[in-house]
Amino acid sequence: MSQRIYEDVSVEGHLIDSLIMSHIMDDIVELGGEFETLSFEVGRTNDDPSRAVLRIIGPDQATLDRLMTAAQERGAVPLNASDAQWKPAPADGVFPEGFYSTTNMETWVRLSGSWARIPGAEMDLGIRVDPDARTAELVAINDVRAGDLLLVGHKGLRVIPVERPREKGAFEFMNSAVSSEKPKAQIVNEVAKLLRKTKADGRSAIAVVGPAVVHTGAAPHLARLFEMGYLTVLFGGNAVATHDCESALYGTSLGVRLDDGTIVPGGHEHHLRAINRIRAAGGFEKAVETGVLTEGLMYTLVKTGAPYVLAGSIRDDGPMPGVITDVLQAQAAMREYCRDAGACLMFSTMLHSIATGNMLPASTTTVCVDINPAVVTKLVDRGSFQTVGVVTDVGLFLESLADELAR
Amino acid sequence: MSQRIYEDVSVEGHLIDSLIMSHIMDDIVELGGEFETLSFEVGRTNDDPSRAVLRIIGPDQATLDRLMTAAQERGAVPLNASDAQWKPAPADGVFPEGFYSTTNMETWVRLSGSWARIPGAEMDLGIRVDPDARTAELVAINDVRAGDLLLVGHKGLRVIPVERPREKGAFEFMNSAVSSEKPKAQIVNEVAKLLRKTKADGRSAIAVVGPAVVHTGAAPHLARLFEMGYLTVLFGGNAVATHDCESALYGTSLGVRLDDGTIVPGGHEHHLRAINRIRAAGGFEKAVETGVLTEGLMYTLVKTGAPYVLAGSIRDDGPMPGVITDVLQAQAAMREYCRDAGACLMFSTMLHSIATGNMLPASTTTVCVDINPAVVTKLVDRGSFQTVGVVTDVGLFLESLADELAR
Amino acid sequence: MSQRIYEDVSVEGHLIDSLIMSHIMDDIVELGGEFETLSFEVGRTNDDPSRAVLRIIGPDQATLDRLMTAAQERGAVPLNASDAQWKPAPADGVFPEGFYSTTNMETWVRLSGSWARIPGAEMDLGIRVDPDARTAELVAINDVRAGDLLLVGHKGLRVIPVERPREKGAFEFMNSAVSSEKPKAQIVNEVAKLLRKTKADGRSAIAVVGPAVVHTGAAPHLARLFEMGYLTVLFGGNAVATHDCESALYGTSLGVRLDDGTIVPGGHEHHLRAINRIRAAGGFEKAVETGVLTEGLMYTLVKTGAPYVLAGSIRDDGPMPGVITDVLQAQAAMREYCRDAGACLMFSTMLHSIATGNMLPASTTTVCVDINPAVVTKLVDRGSFQTVGVVTDVGLFLESLADELAR
Amino acid sequence: MSQRIYEDVSVEGHLIDSLIMSHIMDDIVELGGEFETLSFEVGRTNDDPSRAVLRIIGPDQATLDRLMTAAQERGAVPLNASDAQWKPAPADGVFPEGFYSTTNMETWVRLSGSWARIPGAEMDLGIRVDPDARTAELVAINDVRAGDLLLVGHKGLRVIPVERPREKGAFEFMNSAVSSEKPKAQIVNEVAKLLRKTKADGRSAIAVVGPAVVHTGAAPHLARLFEMGYLTVLFGGNAVATHDCESALYGTSLGVRLDDGTIVPGGHEHHLRAINRIRAAGGFEKAVETGVLTEGLMYTLVKTGAPYVLAGSIRDDGPMPGVITDVLQAQAAMREYCRDAGACLMFSTMLHSIATGNMLPASTTTVCVDINPAVVTKLVDRGSFQTVGVVTDVGLFLESLADELAR
């Protein structure tokens, strides 16, 4: 590397045991850069934070820019802070070339010498600035308008990484998939503790659910969690609402009797008949009001007034009234609830869980429960230290959780 | 069963080895009915069809109606044929109570004494009749309008079940999931034979693809199949188009370099930058025209003029221009191609594959390839004798298939 | 097929709904033969058996022999019954060429004109005859001695297939893998009913268990089933005994604390220390006697006197005293219990479950519970109508089952 | 923590990016200890090693012992080196209480003031010392004899951890499971490179194979790798040898024709007939000699003289002659080859792969290929940085690998 340009950064925190330093070093080497450790003050005890100053070295400016962007996403801050830079969007729905793409972590922008915190945190968005007001906000690519000023490059940005929880006895399973071969009782207790705390803090708790929750007979247990106020918002699709109403109206889910598990010949028609009944009644609220729907998860949501977002998908029959068939509108509806969520529990749906995970801040504790280890791994791999995966039977898990919280 | 009412039906075909009789008997017993075999002429050799007359007995009219509906879906025909019955739709988007819900098999309706074949075949729809014109057609619940006349009950209907292929040496794996522990070379040959025949017949062949086709490096092999004309229509989502363009513009898919499998730090931004570039260019066609997009699957589709449907989902970033964000509109676009498809190949996408499977006639030969046995099992379980599942590595499979067809 | 030789067979039973006829027809066509249905008397109602006479036709004697063997395994009986044929074993541990390989179904042999039932039923063995005593018995290839008379060909044999249970409300899930998406409460009830009946009949119930039963914290629930007498024999390996003793001595399983699910650094040594302690004590019985082992599954087996077979495998550490390290000796020990088992429950072990499944008669009701659908499918595919697979969390399932039976 | 006792250790290497420091810190906190960083000299560039001195603090001696053992397994060395300590084995097959349980890493013992390297490296064994000769060796619990001197505690031990490879472009996938969604071509190349290097170094390469290698039709490709000398030892069980001979003698594997994938009715008997033929011939070598066996994997092993270990298991039929039915004897046979292996490739067998993984030194590069992600994850989780998992179709992978190496 004959030619060498560099920039110096500082980084602070539990650099070693939160893996911050090793991640930064890995990224630099992987991206074709080098580093020198200018100083490294290691915390004396396991409670003290550490502080390092690194010189990040690249062969050219483009590489150095990439190195700096990567390091900043890990929490590094340039020693010579400069203001953020921006460019106008060239057209509606188009970011300027070189736009800054967000992480799901708390982010600050330096505008005219002072740091402004951007409200919310969501990955894969742009940052729109108002230089006069010295403010910045997140914006989705589809919502940007020609002339909007969007951040470009990596200058004037500070990202606050979520640190791994250090106290023993907190959620011990953070950022890992709990194997099907681990004891489950303790995990049920930890999730119960999380929901109790979220409720006590007055924060919302989102349940993201797939139709298997109904198929496995777990919907009544989920409903109890809403009745007790431990869950406050439901995200799902047409299928979970449909099979829930099918079970309320016909006693089956996908044609399988929930009381004895037998297949009802012709029962495959029940879901379409359930959709038709709710459409005829004029929607879930009306169906509850007029006595068409007298039990089940959707009934409980209507009765408790808990908000829900049902997002459409191309495999839907019907759909049920209230299902948002435009996916961008559905995302917008979900985004509202994601911004302030205190906790998020995901059950048996890869599609809705990934969609929700895309919108949640890294700081929201998220628990993904599925019997399929591939789904759990996929969600945990995308997540932060706040994400926990549990491989187990969703039906039996929800029953245990509701029982624990009902005590 | 003190009170007994009954109806007599006849059924014809390879009743024993196509399992038609055993399915009818199972359904009757399961639904709480009984039967008497009034006659059973068994084909003397394995080529001769059999013919049976059954008396189907139920405790009450409602049960008997269910018994008859179930038997008719297996191909039974009432001895005393009567005309179909209908009722008007009570409101827009609502079927009349008791509506007939379709199967994915060829269906005939008896109107004023004569039998009319319904064009197309798709499950979970209604049948709208024009009694004056003596015609009938399929209609989705969302498309029905108040006053439309919809078939109700099971009278005046004849369903033609798809029989299991009997000749040895045809597709031997029909209606089963081919385990990962089976030899794959022969399956590649069979699928190649299917595509050759479909092309020779001048029929369309749909490819339903998920982003893993790009991640595994198989997109160039899929593109070759379009270039050679063995595949003619593509169904996918925002992700497959996005990662394909990401690979064309940045050499990565989801941030992983396709040439050496290494992760590019910061590469997780590439997909959003790829979306932005195509949006800036004004869409795939314009991007090819202006030289922004010079290779890949989407490039090949544009160059060959092969039609495609990209259906939106709530986990989409962007989306790419051309993605249909309303799921009902996306279904309508897909339905057009499903009606006449000669073959359908599904690769690595449960969402789009189930959606497509919902719309295909039972007579369309369908091959589902995925490395996850759960996905393959789910799709095959929903299918007819024409559905084949293959558990294997999609990347290696597509390469073998394209090589075989290029010979 | 110019040259045609044939043999006529009769077959009786619920030929259609038990799929006997369709299986026979499939086999004949698959093996390159043909058939003519000489007569087919179909049972008038669903309770009446049917009776058919088939002419099985082959192009040559070798093919016809294969056709006849296949048909007889489905229950067909030649109209012209002839005596069984045999040859001497050419050497110790070697069957004569053309030996008859057994199924797991009840089998009768015709010796000097009279039919003798062979005691027991196990697949993949030979049949050793004593022509003078007119008796026959099963013999494993390893146990055969030079000069022993072994059955060859298919003549003089009658196999009694296990029919599918017809009554509604019995075990509804026979011969199928219960998906993870089905309600589990009813299955727990059915298994409880099976164990109650087996106990009431005074028959043995085998539990085949892998170490995940201990890892998931389910061992105490399994122990309760032994204490209550619903399970009477345990099959396992070194691992389940080792981790059970590890949990009794150190509170961990594979180094994971069972009370709170946390990993104990250095805990990976616990299993070897547990083995050492039990070896030092002189075995499980002595360890219980001397107060070294005071709780757990092995403790319960010793206390209740329930027999167990621990079969060694190449991945064993230690092993524990009492583990049978020679696999043929271990098979012999297991075989003793398999012959008369009234029920068999398999939990979280593919190796031991397949081994046990190989030895069980087709008439023993077998339930396989695993969270991995691949394991369940593999076991159910090998089984008869008496095999049920359940995809669920073994820990939560065993807890529910023990609670249900404790009521 | 009122009472505090401590010991000081030094640790050297790429402490941060090889995660050595974070692992040590995690272990200390997890085990209820504390630490102080007395000094930490961080390597200036990414090539320079770092060096730290830590004070490890525990509440009591027992805890401190556990803390020290854990730290030493990560490579920490006590500042005040002392000699190793030992006790006599109390009985045959029993270690003294408090015995040191080995890791799979290079280990040194301090005897009378000087350090001796222990030959080999295998986990879960004891260390037997000869104080007079100042030597030490590994010993399995089953091989220990009363009075043998065994190391106890953690004093006088130094473990050399395997560091994560740092150079870019080496095996990039180390210590991780390669998802089914990654491109496979590069991985095939890396494995080919590994085998070329191992061969060039004159070292052995073990193939551990399950029967699916035969079922998928991949056995001929595996045989080519033995013919070319890239694989030199085979570990397997009775099943792989049986189905290989079944395919050579009958063209089927588990009754499925390998040329067209169809099931041969009655073909389930083929494997037992194949076993009988090889037993009749007097073993594999005799079967090749007398022309009974003329192709296949076992044939190739005999012809090339490559050694093999076939280890028995309780699910074996037969078994084939040469299968070692005592599992401790089979382990001993495998152990011989593990000690010096340059590389190890594992295909489609969890049982044999885990057994082999238990015996391999951490420094042996190991590649595990399976279509089941659960198997791959399980093996990689047990492994060191030298273990790579690949989720793909074994049949297609072996074909690509053999083609690449044949070029």
Side-chain angles (χ1 to χ4, degrees), chain B residues 181 183 186 215 260 392-393, chain D residues 181 183-184 186 215 260 392-393:
Chain B
E181 297 201 348
Q186 171 69 1
H215 301 332
D260 66 8
T392 191
D393 189 305
Chain D
E181 296 202 347
K184 295 299 172 334
Q186 170 70 0
H215 301 332
D260 65 8
T392 190
D393 188 306

Side-chain angles (χ1 to χ4, degrees), chain C residues 65-345:
Chain C
D65 281 353
R66 276 198 295 276
L67 295 170
M68 286 299 292
T69 303
Q72 282 177 262
E73 290 195 4
R74 304 293 187 181
V77 182
L79 286 193
N80 295 319
S82 51
D83 277 354
Q85 298 173 325
W86 55 80
K87 283 190 190 163
D92 283 6
V94 182
F95 287 146
E97 191 67 21
F99 68 94
Y100 178 78
S101 174
T102 58
T103 68
N104 59 1
M105 290 173 281
E106 184 184 327
T107 303
W108 296 66
V109 185
R110 195 167 185 269
L111 299 169
S112 307
S114 66
W115 288 97
R117 181 180 170 172
I118 299 171
E122 182 180 335
M123 65 172 75
D124 293 333
L125 301 182
I127 296 177
R128 182 162 53 194
V129 293
D130 181 338
D132 300 331
R134 293 195 191 174
T135 60
E137 61 179 351
L138 300 172
V139 62
I141 192 170
N142 204 58
D143 297 333
V144 82
R145 290 294 155 262
D148 283 0
L149 301 179
L150 271 289
L151 275 198
V152 294
H154 66 276
K155 291 197 187 301
L157 279 158
R158 187 177 290 177
V159 175
I160 316 296
V162 177
E163 287 208 2
R164 194 162 60 144
R166 324 192 72 240
E167 66 276 27
K168 256 195 86 163
F171 230 126
E172 298 274 354
F173 313 100
M174 286 304 182
N175 192 218
S176 69
V178 174
S179 142
S180 63
E181 297 202 347
K182 292 286 164 60
K184 295 299 173 332
Q186 171 70 0
I187 300 170
V188 168
N189 287 344
E190 293 284 350
V191 176
K193 206 188 298 177
L194 168 68
L195 292 184
R196 281 200 193 96
K197 186 179 179 320
T198 305
K199 187 183 176 188
D201 293 351
R203 303 189 65 187
S204 65
I206 303 173
V208 186
V209 295
V213 166
V214 181
H215 302 333
T216 56
H221 305 300
L222 190 64
R224 284 158 67 200
L225 293 169
F226 276 96
E227 279 165 4
M228 293 187 280
Y230 288 113
L231 293 173
T232 62
V233 186
L234 182 128
F235 288 179
N238 183 60
V240 67
T242 295
H243 294 297
D244 176 62
C245 292
E246 178 192 343
S247 76
L249 297 172
Y250 297 96
T252 61
S253 188
L254 213 59
V256 175
R257 293 174 59 98
L258 288 175
D259 58 354
D260 66 8
T262 57
I263 294 170
V264 178
H268 57 85
E269 297 176 356
H270 289 175
H271 75 280
L272 194 58
R273 300 198 185 282
I275 291 169
N276 197 54
R277 288 262 183 97
I278 304 297
R279 289 175 81 108
F284 299 112
E285 280 71 11
K286 280 276 170 59
V288 170
E289 213 175 276
T290 58
V292 169
L293 196 59
T294 59
E295 60 178 86
L297 181 58
M298 294 312 298
Y299 170 85
T300 301
L301 293 178
V302 169
K303 278 297 189 186
T304 60
Y308 54 88
V309 181
L310 299 178
S313 95
I314 47 164
R315 67 187 194 190
D316 292 347
D317 283 311
M320 278 290 189
V323 168
I324 305 174
T325 61
D326 185 274
V327 294
L328 294 179
Q329 286 175 27
Q331 284 180 347
M334 293 162 76
R335 187 169 279 141
E336 284 303 304
Y337 296 105
C338 284
R339 209 150 272 188
D340 306 311
C344 182
L345 270 55

